[in-house]
Amino acid sequence: MAEKKLSEVEIIKENSDYLRGSLVQSLDNKITGALYPDDTQLIKFHGAYQQTDRDLESERKTQKLEPLYSMMIRIRVPGGVATPAQWLRMDELASKYGNGTMKLTTRQAFQLHGIRKRHLKATIQGFNEVMLDSIAGCGDVNRNVMCSPNPNESKVHEAVWDISRQISAEFTPQTSAYYEIWMDGQPVDESQPFTTRPQDTAAAKDAEPIYGKTYLPRKFKIAIAVPPYNDTDIFANDIGLVAIEKDGELEGFNVAAGGGLGMTFGMPETFPRLADMLGYVDKKDVLKVCEAILTTQRDNGNRENRKFSRLKYTIERMGLEAFKQEVERRTGFAFQEAKPYKFIHSGDPLGWTKTHDGHYNLGLFIEGGRIVDYPDYPLRTALRVLASINEGDFRLTGNQNLVIGHISAEKKPVVEAILDKYGVLQATYKQTALRQNSIACVALNTCSLAFAEAERYLPSLIDKIDLIIRAHGLEKDAINIRMTGCPNGCGRPYLGEIAFIGKSPGRYNLYLGAAHNGERMNKLYREMLDEAGILAELEPIIGAYARERQRNETFGDFVIRQGYVKATTHGTNFHD
Ligand code: SRM
Ligand code: SF4
């Protein structure tokens, strides 16, 4: 039988000497703003992407200049909790080296855009000083581990946050390349148990006991949610963990595997897919189970064609039962039957909530996750001022929002006064529930894969949809609405009750009918709509929803009951 041909990225990883490649030379090369081609793959494992400013593409071409290269860097925040000092540092770096904005991502991480190659090292050193890192921000490894961003809401939330950081530490690459290249070999503060640090014993140096030399076949994602909120959209992940509690304490997890959302237009053999439930495990076994799933994917995932490398395709190929048995063989124990749980919503609770230890959390709506000073709304300044009083912490949510967490009763009025002064509270409270439940991926001008706008366009489209929503008295009805600039799924559009996926500039496919709680994907309703087409299609459906919905019926359920679309019951029938 002919030997299978490995994909190019596999060869690059194999030859990279544990992710070093020629990155040092690439960074030193002053003739171009770009990296050498192989290094553009390797730098992802260090958390960065080489990008170009797509707005300037034709202008630069006319001027016979190379594209305006810059780097995006993704900074991991396991479980999403950042300190005020970390927030202030990110804010500072955004101005000093970036484009003056921060992006809160759909996976509870920070992104900085527009960093010149020559400033990348200083940027990385800058956030490392405050115990943040970007290793495994991107690349064929386990990514930022998500969990409910309210650790102090209950004891269960606290325990879950702790486990998310343990999982993150367990699957952080061990190579010392990151520290060698960016930190001149300096380890970070070892007193911090959950931050990454190089393995300093000779034996451990550059061995990757979990990943091996070529890491995983593709990216890998883990998220945890605490019912009734599925605010991390766990079913979109390679591993989704549902926290199960007993008498107010965390008992264990229902474990789901094989979620992933990317697909390619015109290739129906690619499809978004939600994770399948494997069963329940006690909390003491959860790391072992995660490792068994991850290594099963490591050893069985497709390394020839990256379009089919994600765990979802491995499971489809192996069959769910065979996959489950292989995971059980690796752990040495069987899954128990999944325990009952109920998700009601995949959005974030906004406004004030009280924590189990007598403090307060404040959920803020951040449109598109972008922290920037708008001409009439100094959001970034407000959050900088707030961080400087050094109270509580800054929690990034999986819906691109922000929770100001763990505020004492004494400081609550101070926090409120600052946010009120800059209009941040009003910017959360005045919105329709539809807008509060919106997500848009970055798309243009930095994402090289975007076919259409998303983050820069969705707000103005929602202005128009809001008119319809208000006309029908639906301003308090939470409907998940999501937009991405391509079908890769970064804004988890397949889990939007209403979703737009960019096909070409100004044209979108419209998808309807996902479950409000993230347990069912949507389905294609109309193709290639421009704005007028979108509004014309949505107006009658929203009107019908206002008039004809049943008690407590969500928009996603309504459009299926009324036959606008068929329910998607599995990734394999998404395209039907
Ligand atoms: Fe993503 C690639 C942005 C969450 C699926 N994603 C990209 C790149 C790096 C484009 C590229 O490869 O050149 C985007 C960078 C744009 C930019 O300029 O910043 C990008 N993805 C994002 C973020 C920033 C979107 C956002 O607006 O928040 C999110 C960063 C998350 C993080 O902090 O780690 C982001 N991406 C997601 C999610 C949602 C999630 O994980 O919950 C998905 C769908 C879930 C999944 O993985 O299946 C997602 N991104 C993809 C894919 C398709 C993967 C696939 O299996 O087909 C790509 C393309 C690829 O990997 O080939 C991609
Ligand atoms: Fe880019 Fe597509 Fe991801 Fe949007 S969904 S950030 S356009 S890759």
Side-chain angles (χ1 to χ4, degrees), residues 107 139-143 216-222 234-239 257-263 270-273 275 293-294 296-298 300-318 323 487-490:
R107 292 197 70 78
D140 297 342
V141 282
N142 180 51
R143 304 288 186 86
L216 297 178
R218 205 63 161 89
K219 57 178 70 168
F220 195 87
K221 299 181 172 179
I222 304 179
I234 60 145
F235 296 104
N237 287 261
D238 295 271
I239 302 181
L261 300 185
M263 66 158 191
T270 64
F271 48 85
R273 181 189 194 278
I293 295 173
L294 184 141
T296 302
Q297 160 66 354
R298 178 196 65 196
N300 294 279
N302 181 327
R303 289 183 186 258
E304 294 89 47
N305 184 345
R306 290 176 67 79
K307 285 224 180 283
F308 301 100
S309 297
R310 290 293 293 274
L311 176 65
K312 60 181 175 178
Y313 299 117
T314 311
I315 294 181
E316 288 298 325
R317 197 165 20 86
M318 291 175 77
F323 170 78
N488 277 322
C490 301

Short mmCIF file of all heavy atoms in Angstrom, two decimals, residues 107 139-143 216-222 234-239 257-263 270-273 275 293-294 296-298 300-318 323 487-490:
data_model
loop_
_atom_site.label_atom_id
_atom_site.label_comp_id
_atom_site.label_asym_id
_atom_site.label_seq_id
_atom_site.Cartn_x
_atom_site.Cartn_y
_atom_site.Cartn_z
N ARG A 107 -12.95 32.85 23.07
CA ARG A 107 -12.43 31.81 23.95
C ARG A 107 -11.75 32.41 25.17
O ARG A 107 -10.76 31.89 25.67
CB ARG A 107 -11.45 30.88 23.22
CG ARG A 107 -12.07 30.03 22.16
CD ARG A 107 -11.17 28.87 21.77
NE ARG A 107 -11.06 27.87 22.81
CZ ARG A 107 -11.97 26.95 23.08
NH1 ARG A 107 -13.07 26.88 22.37
NH2 ARG A 107 -11.79 26.09 24.06
N GLY A 139 -2.07 27.17 17.11
CA GLY A 139 -1.27 25.98 16.79
C GLY A 139 -1.99 24.68 17.09
O GLY A 139 -3.10 24.65 17.63
N ASP A 140 -1.30 23.57 16.76
CA ASP A 140 -1.89 22.23 16.88
C ASP A 140 -1.71 21.69 18.30
O ASP A 140 -1.01 20.68 18.52
CB ASP A 140 -1.23 21.27 15.88
CG ASP A 140 -1.46 21.71 14.45
OD1 ASP A 140 -2.40 22.51 14.22
OD2 ASP A 140 -0.72 21.25 13.56
N VAL A 141 -2.30 22.35 19.23
CA VAL A 141 -2.16 22.02 20.66
C VAL A 141 -3.48 22.33 21.35
O VAL A 141 -4.39 22.87 20.73
CB VAL A 141 -1.05 22.88 21.30
CG1 VAL A 141 0.33 22.35 20.97
CG2 VAL A 141 -1.17 24.33 20.90
N ASN A 142 -3.53 22.02 22.62
CA ASN A 142 -4.73 22.41 23.37
C ASN A 142 -4.74 23.92 23.57
O ASN A 142 -3.78 24.48 24.08
CB ASN A 142 -4.74 21.70 24.72
CG ASN A 142 -5.97 22.07 25.50
OD1 ASN A 142 -7.07 21.99 24.99
ND2 ASN A 142 -5.78 22.53 26.72
N ARG A 143 -5.84 24.56 23.22
CA ARG A 143 -5.95 26.03 23.29
C ARG A 143 -6.45 26.48 24.66
O ARG A 143 -6.72 25.65 25.54
CB ARG A 143 -6.90 26.52 22.20
CG ARG A 143 -6.54 26.08 20.80
CD ARG A 143 -5.32 26.82 20.31
NE ARG A 143 -5.03 26.54 18.91
CZ ARG A 143 -5.56 27.18 17.87
NH1 ARG A 143 -6.47 28.12 18.05
NH2 ARG A 143 -5.20 26.88 16.63
N LEU A 216 -0.23 17.80 17.99
CA LEU A 216 -1.50 17.18 17.59
C LEU A 216 -1.71 17.35 16.08
O LEU A 216 -1.07 18.20 15.46
CB LEU A 216 -2.67 17.82 18.36
CG LEU A 216 -2.64 17.63 19.88
CD1 LEU A 216 -3.81 18.35 20.54
CD2 LEU A 216 -2.66 16.15 20.25
N PRO A 217 -2.63 16.59 15.51
CA PRO A 217 -2.89 16.76 14.07
C PRO A 217 -3.48 18.14 13.76
O PRO A 217 -3.35 18.65 12.67
CB PRO A 217 -3.91 15.67 13.76
CG PRO A 217 -3.81 14.69 14.87
CD PRO A 217 -3.37 15.45 16.08
N ARG A 218 -4.13 18.75 14.74
CA ARG A 218 -4.85 20.01 14.50
C ARG A 218 -5.09 20.66 15.86
O ARG A 218 -4.82 20.09 16.91
CB ARG A 218 -6.18 19.66 13.83
CG ARG A 218 -6.85 20.72 12.97
CD ARG A 218 -6.08 21.13 11.77
NE ARG A 218 -6.92 21.79 10.78
CZ ARG A 218 -7.16 23.10 10.75
NH1 ARG A 218 -6.64 23.90 11.65
NH2 ARG A 218 -7.94 23.61 9.79
N LYS A 219 -5.68 21.87 15.84
CA LYS A 219 -6.04 22.55 17.10
C LYS A 219 -6.93 21.66 17.95
O LYS A 219 -7.65 20.77 17.43
CB LYS A 219 -6.74 23.87 16.80
CG LYS A 219 -7.98 23.71 15.95
CD LYS A 219 -8.69 25.03 15.70
CE LYS A 219 -7.94 25.97 14.79
NZ LYS A 219 -8.74 27.11 14.33
N PHE A 220 -6.96 21.92 19.26
CA PHE A 220 -7.75 21.10 20.18
C PHE A 220 -8.32 22.03 21.25
O PHE A 220 -7.61 22.88 21.78
CB PHE A 220 -6.84 20.04 20.82
CG PHE A 220 -7.58 18.93 21.50
CD1 PHE A 220 -7.99 17.81 20.78
CD2 PHE A 220 -7.89 18.99 22.85
CE1 PHE A 220 -8.68 16.78 21.39
CE2 PHE A 220 -8.58 17.96 23.47
CZ PHE A 220 -8.97 16.85 22.75
N LYS A 221 -9.60 21.86 21.57
CA LYS A 221 -10.25 22.83 22.46
C LYS A 221 -11.05 22.15 23.57
O LYS A 221 -11.73 21.14 23.31
CB LYS A 221 -11.18 23.72 21.64
CG LYS A 221 -10.41 24.51 20.57
CD LYS A 221 -11.31 25.42 19.77
CE LYS A 221 -10.45 26.32 18.88
NZ LYS A 221 -11.28 27.22 18.06
N ILE A 222 -10.95 22.72 24.75
CA ILE A 222 -11.67 22.17 25.90
C ILE A 222 -12.43 23.31 26.59
O ILE A 222 -11.88 24.40 26.79
CB ILE A 222 -10.69 21.53 26.92
CG1 ILE A 222 -9.82 20.46 26.24
CG2 ILE A 222 -11.44 20.94 28.11
CD1 ILE A 222 -8.80 19.78 27.15
N ILE A 234 -20.08 24.61 25.31
CA ILE A 234 -19.18 23.45 25.42
C ILE A 234 -19.29 22.47 24.26
O ILE A 234 -18.32 21.78 23.95
CB ILE A 234 -19.41 22.67 26.74
CG1 ILE A 234 -20.84 22.16 26.83
CG2 ILE A 234 -18.99 23.45 27.97
CD1 ILE A 234 -20.91 20.83 27.50
N PHE A 235 -20.45 22.42 23.60
CA PHE A 235 -20.60 21.40 22.55
C PHE A 235 -19.85 21.77 21.27
O PHE A 235 -19.77 20.97 20.34
CB PHE A 235 -22.08 21.14 22.26
CG PHE A 235 -22.78 20.56 23.46
CD1 PHE A 235 -23.62 21.34 24.25
CD2 PHE A 235 -22.56 19.25 23.84
CE1 PHE A 235 -24.23 20.82 25.37
CE2 PHE A 235 -23.16 18.71 24.96
CZ PHE A 235 -24.00 19.50 25.75
N ALA A 236 -19.31 22.99 21.22
CA ALA A 236 -18.50 23.39 20.06
C ALA A 236 -17.05 22.96 20.23
O ALA A 236 -16.21 23.24 19.38
CB ALA A 236 -18.58 24.90 19.87
N ASN A 237 -16.74 22.27 21.33
CA ASN A 237 -15.34 21.96 21.67
C ASN A 237 -14.99 20.50 21.42
O ASN A 237 -15.86 19.63 21.43
CB ASN A 237 -15.10 22.29 23.14
CG ASN A 237 -15.05 23.80 23.36
OD1 ASN A 237 -13.97 24.37 23.44
ND2 ASN A 237 -16.20 24.45 23.41
N ASP A 238 -13.69 20.25 21.26
CA ASP A 238 -13.24 18.86 21.13
C ASP A 238 -13.61 18.10 22.40
O ASP A 238 -14.01 16.94 22.33
CB ASP A 238 -11.73 18.83 20.91
CG ASP A 238 -11.36 19.49 19.59
OD1 ASP A 238 -11.32 18.79 18.57
OD2 ASP A 238 -11.16 20.72 19.58
N ILE A 239 -13.44 18.75 23.55
CA ILE A 239 -13.96 18.16 24.79
C ILE A 239 -14.84 19.21 25.48
O ILE A 239 -14.40 20.33 25.74
CB ILE A 239 -12.82 17.78 25.77
CG1 ILE A 239 -11.85 16.77 25.13
CG2 ILE A 239 -13.40 17.20 27.06
CD1 ILE A 239 -10.71 16.33 26.04
N ALA A 257 -17.46 14.76 23.60
CA ALA A 257 -16.27 14.88 22.74
C ALA A 257 -16.66 14.98 21.27
O ALA A 257 -17.68 14.45 20.84
CB ALA A 257 -15.35 13.68 22.94
N GLY A 258 -15.81 15.70 20.52
CA GLY A 258 -15.96 15.72 19.06
C GLY A 258 -16.69 16.93 18.52
O GLY A 258 -17.20 16.88 17.40
N GLY A 259 -16.71 18.03 19.26
CA GLY A 259 -17.31 19.26 18.73
C GLY A 259 -16.28 20.02 17.92
O GLY A 259 -15.08 19.95 18.17
N GLY A 260 -16.76 20.75 16.93
CA GLY A 260 -15.87 21.57 16.11
C GLY A 260 -16.73 22.21 15.04
O GLY A 260 -17.67 21.57 14.55
N LEU A 261 -16.46 23.46 14.69
CA LEU A 261 -17.43 24.17 13.85
C LEU A 261 -16.98 24.48 12.44
O LEU A 261 -17.81 24.83 11.60
CB LEU A 261 -17.86 25.47 14.54
CG LEU A 261 -18.54 25.31 15.91
CD1 LEU A 261 -19.02 26.67 16.43
CD2 LEU A 261 -19.70 24.33 15.86
N GLY A 262 -15.70 24.37 12.14
CA GLY A 262 -15.25 24.82 10.83
C GLY A 262 -15.81 23.98 9.70
O GLY A 262 -16.02 22.77 9.83
N MET A 263 -16.11 24.63 8.58
CA MET A 263 -16.44 23.91 7.35
C MET A 263 -15.98 24.77 6.17
O MET A 263 -15.58 25.92 6.35
CB MET A 263 -17.93 23.63 7.25
CG MET A 263 -18.78 24.87 7.10
SD MET A 263 -20.37 24.46 6.35
CE MET A 263 -21.03 26.08 5.98
N THR A 270 -17.20 18.47 4.61
CA THR A 270 -16.79 19.20 5.81
C THR A 270 -18.06 19.76 6.46
O THR A 270 -18.97 20.18 5.74
CB THR A 270 -15.86 20.38 5.48
OG1 THR A 270 -16.58 21.34 4.69
CG2 THR A 270 -14.63 19.92 4.70
N PHE A 271 -18.13 19.72 7.75
CA PHE A 271 -19.36 20.20 8.41
C PHE A 271 -19.08 20.57 9.87
O PHE A 271 -18.17 20.03 10.50
CB PHE A 271 -20.46 19.11 8.37
CG PHE A 271 -19.98 17.74 8.78
CD1 PHE A 271 -19.93 17.37 10.12
CD2 PHE A 271 -19.56 16.82 7.83
CE1 PHE A 271 -19.50 16.11 10.50
CE2 PHE A 271 -19.11 15.56 8.20
CZ PHE A 271 -19.08 15.20 9.54
N PRO A 272 -19.88 21.52 10.39
CA PRO A 272 -19.80 21.79 11.82
C PRO A 272 -20.45 20.64 12.57
O PRO A 272 -21.37 20.00 12.04
CB PRO A 272 -20.60 23.08 11.99
CG PRO A 272 -21.54 23.09 10.83
CD PRO A 272 -20.89 22.34 9.72
N ARG A 273 -19.99 20.40 13.77
CA ARG A 273 -20.53 19.23 14.49
C ARG A 273 -20.48 19.53 15.98
O ARG A 273 -19.51 20.11 16.48
CB ARG A 273 -19.62 18.03 14.18
CG ARG A 273 -20.03 16.71 14.81
CD ARG A 273 -18.90 15.71 14.57
NE ARG A 273 -19.28 14.33 14.83
CZ ARG A 273 -19.31 13.78 16.04
NH1 ARG A 273 -18.99 14.48 17.11
NH2 ARG A 273 -19.64 12.50 16.18
N ALA A 275 -20.40 18.18 19.98
CA ALA A 275 -19.79 17.05 20.68
C ALA A 275 -20.85 16.04 21.12
O ALA A 275 -21.97 16.40 21.47
CB ALA A 275 -19.03 17.57 21.90
N ILE A 293 -8.59 11.29 25.80
CA ILE A 293 -9.25 11.76 24.56
C ILE A 293 -8.23 12.46 23.67
O ILE A 293 -8.14 12.21 22.46
CB ILE A 293 -10.43 12.70 24.90
CG1 ILE A 293 -11.52 11.94 25.66
CG2 ILE A 293 -11.00 13.33 23.64
CD1 ILE A 293 -12.66 12.79 26.19
N LEU A 294 -7.43 13.30 24.29
CA LEU A 294 -6.44 14.06 23.53
C LEU A 294 -5.41 13.13 22.86
O LEU A 294 -5.07 13.31 21.69
CB LEU A 294 -5.76 15.07 24.46
CG LEU A 294 -4.76 16.04 23.85
CD1 LEU A 294 -4.90 17.42 24.50
CD2 LEU A 294 -3.33 15.57 24.04
N THR A 296 -5.86 9.96 22.12
CA THR A 296 -6.53 9.16 21.08
C THR A 296 -6.57 9.97 19.78
O THR A 296 -6.32 9.44 18.69
CB THR A 296 -7.97 8.79 21.52
OG1 THR A 296 -7.89 8.08 22.76
CG2 THR A 296 -8.68 7.93 20.50
N GLN A 297 -6.85 11.24 19.91
CA GLN A 297 -6.83 12.11 18.73
C GLN A 297 -5.40 12.25 18.20
O GLN A 297 -5.16 12.19 16.99
CB GLN A 297 -7.44 13.48 19.09
CG GLN A 297 -7.09 14.64 18.17
CD GLN A 297 -7.66 14.50 16.76
OE1 GLN A 297 -8.24 13.47 16.40
NE2 GLN A 297 -7.47 15.52 15.95
N ARG A 298 -4.44 12.40 19.09
CA ARG A 298 -3.03 12.51 18.66
C ARG A 298 -2.64 11.31 17.79
O ARG A 298 -2.01 11.46 16.76
CB ARG A 298 -2.13 12.56 19.91
CG ARG A 298 -0.64 12.62 19.61
CD ARG A 298 0.18 12.27 20.85
NE ARG A 298 -0.04 10.89 21.26
CZ ARG A 298 0.28 10.39 22.46
NH1 ARG A 298 0.82 11.16 23.37
NH2 ARG A 298 0.05 9.11 22.74
N ASN A 300 -4.70 9.01 16.30
CA ASN A 300 -5.63 8.58 15.25
C ASN A 300 -6.07 9.69 14.30
O ASN A 300 -6.71 9.41 13.28
CB ASN A 300 -6.88 7.95 15.87
CG ASN A 300 -6.54 6.66 16.58
OD1 ASN A 300 -6.42 5.62 15.96
ND2 ASN A 300 -6.34 6.73 17.89
N GLY A 301 -5.78 10.93 14.65
CA GLY A 301 -6.23 12.04 13.80
C GLY A 301 -5.53 12.03 12.45
O GLY A 301 -4.41 11.53 12.32
N ASN A 302 -6.20 12.61 11.48
CA ASN A 302 -5.69 12.65 10.10
C ASN A 302 -4.55 13.67 10.00
O ASN A 302 -4.75 14.85 10.26
CB ASN A 302 -6.87 13.04 9.19
CG ASN A 302 -6.50 13.10 7.74
OD1 ASN A 302 -5.39 13.47 7.38
ND2 ASN A 302 -7.45 12.75 6.88
N ARG A 303 -3.38 13.22 9.62
CA ARG A 303 -2.23 14.12 9.50
C ARG A 303 -1.85 14.36 8.03
O ARG A 303 -0.80 14.88 7.73
CB ARG A 303 -1.03 13.58 10.28
CG ARG A 303 -1.21 13.67 11.80
CD ARG A 303 0.01 13.22 12.56
NE ARG A 303 -0.23 13.17 14.00
CZ ARG A 303 0.18 14.08 14.88
NH1 ARG A 303 0.85 15.13 14.48
NH2 ARG A 303 -0.08 13.92 16.17
N GLU A 304 -2.75 13.93 7.14
CA GLU A 304 -2.46 14.13 5.72
C GLU A 304 -3.22 15.33 5.16
O GLU A 304 -2.68 16.11 4.40
CB GLU A 304 -2.86 12.88 4.90
CG GLU A 304 -2.05 11.65 5.21
CD GLU A 304 -2.66 10.84 6.34
OE1 GLU A 304 -3.88 10.61 6.31
OE2 GLU A 304 -1.92 10.45 7.27
N ASN A 305 -4.47 15.45 5.54
CA ASN A 305 -5.31 16.52 4.99
C ASN A 305 -5.90 17.31 6.15
O ASN A 305 -6.79 16.82 6.86
CB ASN A 305 -6.43 15.90 4.14
CG ASN A 305 -7.28 16.97 3.48
OD1 ASN A 305 -7.22 18.15 3.85
ND2 ASN A 305 -8.05 16.57 2.49
N ARG A 306 -5.43 18.53 6.33
CA ARG A 306 -5.82 19.30 7.52
C ARG A 306 -7.30 19.66 7.52
O ARG A 306 -7.85 20.03 8.56
CB ARG A 306 -4.94 20.55 7.65
CG ARG A 306 -3.51 20.17 8.05
CD ARG A 306 -2.58 21.35 8.11
NE ARG A 306 -2.89 22.30 9.17
CZ ARG A 306 -2.57 22.14 10.46
NH1 ARG A 306 -1.96 21.04 10.87
NH2 ARG A 306 -2.85 23.10 11.33
N LYS A 307 -7.95 19.54 6.40
CA LYS A 307 -9.40 19.81 6.39
C LYS A 307 -10.15 18.74 7.18
O LYS A 307 -11.29 18.95 7.60
CB LYS A 307 -9.92 19.81 4.95
CG LYS A 307 -9.56 21.06 4.18
CD LYS A 307 -10.75 21.59 3.39
CE LYS A 307 -10.39 22.84 2.60
NZ LYS A 307 -10.32 24.03 3.42
N PHE A 308 -9.52 17.57 7.36
CA PHE A 308 -10.22 16.49 8.07
C PHE A 308 -9.46 16.04 9.31
O PHE A 308 -9.58 14.89 9.74
CB PHE A 308 -10.44 15.31 7.10
CG PHE A 308 -11.24 15.70 5.90
CD1 PHE A 308 -10.63 15.98 4.70
CD2 PHE A 308 -12.61 15.86 6.01
CE1 PHE A 308 -11.37 16.40 3.61
CE2 PHE A 308 -13.37 16.27 4.93
CZ PHE A 308 -12.75 16.54 3.72
N SER A 309 -8.69 16.95 9.89
CA SER A 309 -7.82 16.56 11.01
C SER A 309 -8.45 16.69 12.38
O SER A 309 -7.91 16.16 13.35
CB SER A 309 -6.56 17.43 11.01
OG SER A 309 -5.83 17.21 9.85
N ARG A 310 -9.53 17.45 12.50
CA ARG A 310 -10.10 17.67 13.83
C ARG A 310 -10.68 16.37 14.40
O ARG A 310 -11.07 15.46 13.66
CB ARG A 310 -11.21 18.74 13.77
CG ARG A 310 -10.72 20.16 13.51
CD ARG A 310 -9.89 20.75 14.63
NE ARG A 310 -10.61 21.00 15.86
CZ ARG A 310 -11.30 22.10 16.15
NH1 ARG A 310 -11.36 23.08 15.26
NH2 ARG A 310 -11.90 22.24 17.32
N LEU A 311 -10.79 16.35 15.71
CA LEU A 311 -11.31 15.17 16.41
C LEU A 311 -12.69 14.75 15.87
O LEU A 311 -13.02 13.56 15.82
CB LEU A 311 -11.39 15.46 17.92
CG LEU A 311 -12.00 14.37 18.78
CD1 LEU A 311 -11.16 13.10 18.77
CD2 LEU A 311 -12.16 14.84 20.23
N LYS A 312 -13.51 15.74 15.46
CA LYS A 312 -14.86 15.38 15.00
C LYS A 312 -14.80 14.38 13.84
O LYS A 312 -15.60 13.45 13.77
CB LYS A 312 -15.66 16.63 14.61
CG LYS A 312 -15.07 17.47 13.51
CD LYS A 312 -15.92 18.72 13.22
CE LYS A 312 -15.23 19.61 12.19
NZ LYS A 312 -16.00 20.79 11.84
N TYR A 313 -13.83 14.57 12.95
CA TYR A 313 -13.72 13.64 11.82
C TYR A 313 -13.10 12.31 12.26
O TYR A 313 -13.42 11.26 11.69
CB TYR A 313 -12.90 14.26 10.69
CG TYR A 313 -13.52 15.53 10.13
CD1 TYR A 313 -12.87 16.76 10.23
CD2 TYR A 313 -14.78 15.50 9.53
CE1 TYR A 313 -13.44 17.92 9.73
CE2 TYR A 313 -15.36 16.66 9.03
CZ TYR A 313 -14.69 17.88 9.14
OH TYR A 313 -15.27 19.02 8.66
N THR A 314 -12.22 12.37 13.26
CA THR A 314 -11.63 11.12 13.78
C THR A 314 -12.75 10.26 14.35
O THR A 314 -12.81 9.04 14.12
CB THR A 314 -10.59 11.45 14.88
OG1 THR A 314 -9.72 12.46 14.41
CG2 THR A 314 -9.81 10.22 15.28
N ILE A 315 -13.65 10.90 15.11
CA ILE A 315 -14.75 10.14 15.71
C ILE A 315 -15.68 9.58 14.63
O ILE A 315 -16.09 8.42 14.67
CB ILE A 315 -15.54 11.01 16.72
CG1 ILE A 315 -14.63 11.35 17.92
CG2 ILE A 315 -16.82 10.32 17.17
CD1 ILE A 315 -15.29 12.18 19.01
N GLU A 316 -15.96 10.40 13.62
CA GLU A 316 -16.81 9.90 12.52
C GLU A 316 -16.17 8.69 11.86
O GLU A 316 -16.85 7.74 11.50
CB GLU A 316 -17.05 11.00 11.48
CG GLU A 316 -17.98 12.11 11.94
CD GLU A 316 -19.39 11.63 12.26
OE1 GLU A 316 -19.89 10.71 11.58
OE2 GLU A 316 -19.99 12.16 13.22
N ARG A 317 -14.85 8.75 11.68
CA ARG A 317 -14.14 7.66 11.00
C ARG A 317 -14.08 6.42 11.88
O ARG A 317 -14.33 5.31 11.43
CB ARG A 317 -12.74 8.14 10.65
CG ARG A 317 -12.04 7.32 9.61
CD ARG A 317 -10.82 8.01 9.01
NE ARG A 317 -10.25 9.08 9.77
CZ ARG A 317 -9.36 8.94 10.75
NH1 ARG A 317 -8.94 7.75 11.09
NH2 ARG A 317 -8.89 10.00 11.37
N MET A 318 -13.76 6.61 13.17
CA MET A 318 -13.62 5.44 14.06
C MET A 318 -14.97 4.86 14.44
O MET A 318 -15.10 3.68 14.74
CB MET A 318 -12.91 5.85 15.36
CG MET A 318 -11.44 6.20 15.21
SD MET A 318 -10.71 6.79 16.76
CE MET A 318 -10.49 5.27 17.69
N PHE A 323 -14.49 4.72 19.43
CA PHE A 323 -13.72 5.83 19.99
C PHE A 323 -13.83 5.82 21.52
O PHE A 323 -12.83 5.91 22.24
CB PHE A 323 -14.23 7.16 19.42
CG PHE A 323 -13.65 8.37 20.10
CD1 PHE A 323 -12.36 8.79 19.81
CD2 PHE A 323 -14.39 9.06 21.06
CE1 PHE A 323 -11.82 9.90 20.46
CE2 PHE A 323 -13.85 10.17 21.70
CZ PHE A 323 -12.57 10.59 21.40
N PRO A 487 -16.85 30.67 6.77
CA PRO A 487 -17.50 29.55 7.46
C PRO A 487 -16.64 28.83 8.51
O PRO A 487 -17.02 27.77 8.99
CB PRO A 487 -17.85 28.59 6.32
CG PRO A 487 -16.92 28.92 5.23
CD PRO A 487 -16.51 30.34 5.38
N ASN A 488 -15.49 29.40 8.88
CA ASN A 488 -14.64 28.71 9.87
C ASN A 488 -15.27 28.65 11.26
O ASN A 488 -14.92 27.78 12.06
CB ASN A 488 -13.27 29.36 9.95
CG ASN A 488 -12.37 28.85 8.85
OD1 ASN A 488 -12.41 27.67 8.52
ND2 ASN A 488 -11.59 29.72 8.26
N GLY A 489 -16.15 29.58 11.55
CA GLY A 489 -16.95 29.43 12.77
C GLY A 489 -16.41 30.10 14.02
O GLY A 489 -16.81 29.75 15.13
N CYS A 490 -15.53 31.12 13.87
CA CYS A 490 -14.89 31.71 15.06
C CYS A 490 -15.89 32.39 16.01
O CYS A 490 -15.65 32.45 17.22
CB CYS A 490 -13.82 32.69 14.64
SG CYS A 490 -12.54 31.91 13.63
#
